Amino acid sequence: MPELPEVEAVCRKLRRDLRGARIRRARLLRASDPRLERRLRGRRIETVERRGKNVLIRLGRDSVLRVHLRMTGNLYALPAAANLPGTARAWFELADGRALVFDDPRALGRIELLSEAELESLSASLGPEPLSAAFTAAYLRAAAARSRQAIKLFLLDQSKIAGLGNIYAAEALHRAGVHPARPANGLGRKRLERLHGAIVAVLELAVQSACNAYEGPGRYNSAETFPVAVYGREGLPCPECGRRVRRILQAGRSTYYCPGCQR
DNA sequence: AACACGACCTGGTAGC
DNA sequence: TGCTACCAGGTCGTGT
């Protein structure tokens, strides 16, 4: 159930584990493209990158394997002779005997092979990376000014900012003291600057937490190390002011916020 | 443009 | 124990 920080942790781990690895054989269950297994055979893993919540594995010859983990996906190198989990949706036997496993209990995740041009258009459909120099307070102000959406939904829109999800959007709004239902274009310069800083701070801390907690197989337990203030804490006291955290629905999804801190 | 809702999937947990 | 209902870190398509 990963957002940017968890996907970043997955990518960093894969980058360490898979440098130069070669795919001997690919198995994809319920693949959208039946030719995919054959096209992946013998490919060398060149780099592992992240764009928003996408894992991008460059295989050379104008081919990029794009993996989206959606809600429950995980991607990791399995040691040689280790058992494949029953929830594996795809696996890639490597020349050294290990396997790269796409484990996804809910099977909502996606794998596809893209050309550089297709990757370019995917990337163009996404907003800036929030931890890059492209994500400035000025950018956030300009984008927010063009949207009447509730700010929480604006933050979840991947075409505006790439990588925020339900947890860290809520946490960033709490840190910035902004009510999640306020229209994006109704926020003043000061609050947008605070929100910009909060997004960056929350994500930087969450990346650290996710990388420390993430070990590959198993769960993302970054929630155990990231100090969640509001997410999933309905009815519990806000760590800042003690008021009870509320849960509302926005676009059918839960938003948690503190009625004392967030106006 | 914005919103509501369902679809895609499976599993965990709270309540009876 | 077993059943039901609801919840879940995401995205896409359809209809209003």
Side-chain angles (χ1 to χ4, degrees):
Chain A
M1 321 170 208
E3 300 181 30
L4 182 153
E6 291 77 22
V7 179
E8 179 63 24
V10 166
C11 287
R12 288 186 191 179
K13 185 85 161 68
L14 289 180
R15 217 170 284 147
R16 273 181 271 135
D17 290 349
L18 294 183
R19 185 172 299 277
R22 191 173 293 279
I23 297 171
R24 186 192 294 151
R25 200 171 76 99
R27 278 294 282 141
L28 290 91
L29 309 181
R30 308 186 225 174
S32 51
D33 179 358
R35 292 164 304 177
L36 201 49
E37 290 183 352
R38 202 165 45 74
R39 294 180 64 199
L40 291 169
R41 200 180 306 154
R43 294 302 190 88
R44 202 177 75 93
I45 294 172
E46 296 184 345
T47 62
V48 180
E49 287 150 49
R50 180 188 59 73
R51 178 75 174 97
K53 298 170 192 168
N54 296 278
V55 180
L56 304 170
I57 302 176
R58 281 213 153 74
L59 300 172
R61 283 191 274 154
D62 197 30
S63 304
V64 184
L65 192 65
R66 175 221 180 197
V67 182
H68 199 298
L69 306 172
R70 294 278 181 98
M71 296 284 267
T72 54
N74 197 355
L75 195 60
Y76 51 83
L78 198 63
N83 284 333
L84 208 55
T87 46
R89 306 295 172 193
W91 57 96
F92 307 85
E93 297 171 20
L94 304 178
D96 63 11
R98 293 179 303 158
L100 170 60
V101 178
F102 177 51
D103 189 1
D104 185 13
R106 270 176 80 176
L108 293 171
R110 294 287 175 266
I111 295 189
E112 60 182 343
L113 198 57
L114 303 179
S115 66
E116 292 291 341
E118 288 168 329
L119 173 59
E120 190 44 50
S121 78
L122 167 71
S123 190
S125 73
L126 299 173
E129 285 294 321
L131 295 181
S132 78
F135 181 61
T136 59
Y139 168 80
L140 183 61
R141 258 188 278 125
R146 279 183 259 114
S147 172
R148 276 166 292 175
Q149 269 193 311
I151 187 65
K152 160 72 169 1
L153 298 177
F154 174 92
L155 294 181
L156 291 182
D157 184 340
Q158 302 298 295
S159 74
K160 310 279 199 315
I161 304 168
L164 278 176
N166 215 25
I167 296 177
Y168 300 117
E171 293 300 314
L173 287 168
H174 177 263
R175 182 180 280 240
V178 174
H179 193 287
R182 294 189 62 132
N185 66 357
L187 296 171
R189 188 186 179 107
K190 265 242 165 68
R191 331 191 91 224
L192 285 169
E193 273 165 14
R194 245 190 305 156
L195 182 56
H196 173 263
I199 290 167
V200 173
V202 161
L203 289 177
E204 280 178 348
L205 182 57
V207 167
Q208 284 314 307
S209 300
C211 289
N212 291 338
Y214 182 65
E215 282 305 322
R219 300 168 55 84
Y220 307 101
N221 46 358
S222 43
E224 289 166 25
T225 47
F226 182 88
V228 174
V230 288
Y231 182 81
R233 303 190 69 245
E234 183 182 16
L236 297 173
C238 166
E240 291 301 315
C241 75
R243 293 271 300 272
R244 287 182 188 287
V245 171
R246 285 192 192 153
R247 180 171 79 102
I248 56 172
L249 283 184
Q250 292 182 287
R253 309 186 70 198
S254 292
T255 298
Y256 299 88
Y257 74 101
C258 169
C261 298
Q262 295 174 255
R263 302 285 166 168

